[in-house]
Amino acid sequence: MSLNRNEKQVVIDEISAQLSEAQSIVVAEYRGIDVASVTVLRKKARESGVYLRVLKNTLVTRAIKDTNFQQLEDKLVGPLIYAISKDPVAAAKVLSSFAKENDKIVLKAGALPGSVLDSNGIKQLATMPSREELLSKLMGTMQAPIAKFVRTLNEVPTKFVRGLAAVRDQKEAA
C-alpha cells in the first residue's frame, strides 16, 4: 500500500522530529527476519529509549537532508530498519546485540552528528559505556575524595577515644 503525499509528509515530519533530538542513527538490513524476532527487537529498543522503525529510504533521505546526518544518504539502499537514539550508543547497542543473536540482521551503517560509521564502527560504538554508566562512574569519582576526607576527619576523634579507653583499661588493670 503506497502512501499519498500528505501521509508521506507526516512520516517525514515524524522522522525529522526524531532526528532533531538524535545523537545517533544505526541502519541494518533485515531480509528474511520473522515477525516474532522483529517484535522482540522492537521491545528491546523501546526499553532502551531507541526509536526503531522500518521506513522507505526515499522518505528518510528527504528527512535527513540539511541535518547533521546528511552524509548517511548514500548508504540507504535495500530493505532497512532504522534505529534513532538520543543516547549516542543506545541504538548501536540494541542492534548489534540483536545481530549477534540473529544472523539475518546485518548492520549496514551508522551516523553520529557529522560522521558516518561502517559496521565495524557500529560494533565499536556498541562496546562503549552508555551515558548513564559514564555519569555513574563520574559521580563515583567525584564522591571518592569527599568520602575519604570524611573518613579521615572521623578517624581523629575515633583514635582519641581508643587511646583514652586504652589508658583507662591500663589504669584499671594496675
Side-chain angles (χ1 to χ4, degrees):
M1 182 175 100
S2 64
L3 302 173
N4 66 30
R5 188 177 199 126
N6 293 333
E7 292 170 332
K8 288 179 183 178
Q9 190 58 45
V10 168
V11 172
I12 291 170
D13 292 341
E14 180 183 345
I15 299 165
S16 296
Q18 290 292 329
L19 290 175
S20 67
E21 300 175 356
Q23 290 294 315
S24 68
I25 300 174
V26 178
V27 180
E29 194 171 297
Y30 64 93
R31 281 180 218 249
I33 192 167
D34 59 342
V35 174
S37 297
V38 172
T39 304
V40 170
L41 177 59
R42 287 179 197 264
K43 183 180 179 205
K44 287 181 182 179
R46 212 174 307 118
E47 290 169 355
S48 299
V50 175
Y51 175 82
L52 185 78
R53 192 162 171 193
V54 175
L55 297 163
K56 286 189 166 194
N57 297 336
T58 54
L59 298 179
V60 175
T61 302
R62 289 181 189 163
I64 65 174
K65 194 172 227 103
D66 301 326
T67 66
N68 293 335
F69 304 105
Q70 190 169 359
Q71 298 94 345
L72 191 62
E73 187 174 347
D74 59 337
K75 308 276 187 194
L76 306 180
V77 178
L80 300 175
I81 191 163
Y82 295 87
I84 302 171
S85 172
K86 294 178 187 174
D87 184 1
V89 297
K93 281 186 182 227
V94 168
L95 280 179
S96 68
S97 69
F98 193 77
K100 287 178 187 175
E101 300 166 7
N102 193 327
D103 60 343
K104 293 186 179 174
I105 291 281
V106 179
L107 300 174
K108 287 294 185 182
L112 296 171
S115 65
V116 176
L117 304 170
D118 61 351
S119 61
N120 292 329
I122 295 168
K123 290 174 185 172
Q124 289 176 349
L125 184 64
T127 61
M128 293 178 68
S130 69
R131 183 176 192 273
E132 288 78 24
E133 292 173 46
L134 289 173
L135 286 175
S136 65
K137 287 179 182 180
L138 176 65
M139 290 307 296
T141 303
M142 290 172 66
Q143 286 179 344
I146 296 168
K148 190 172 183 177
F149 180 68
V150 169
R151 281 193 300 270
T152 303
L153 286 178
N154 193 29
E155 195 62 32
V156 172
T158 306
K159 279 187 177 182
F160 179 70
V161 170
R162 278 193 227 131
L164 285 177
V167 169
R168 182 195 66 206
D169 292 342
Q170 200 175 38
K171 286 186 178 182
E172 285 178 358

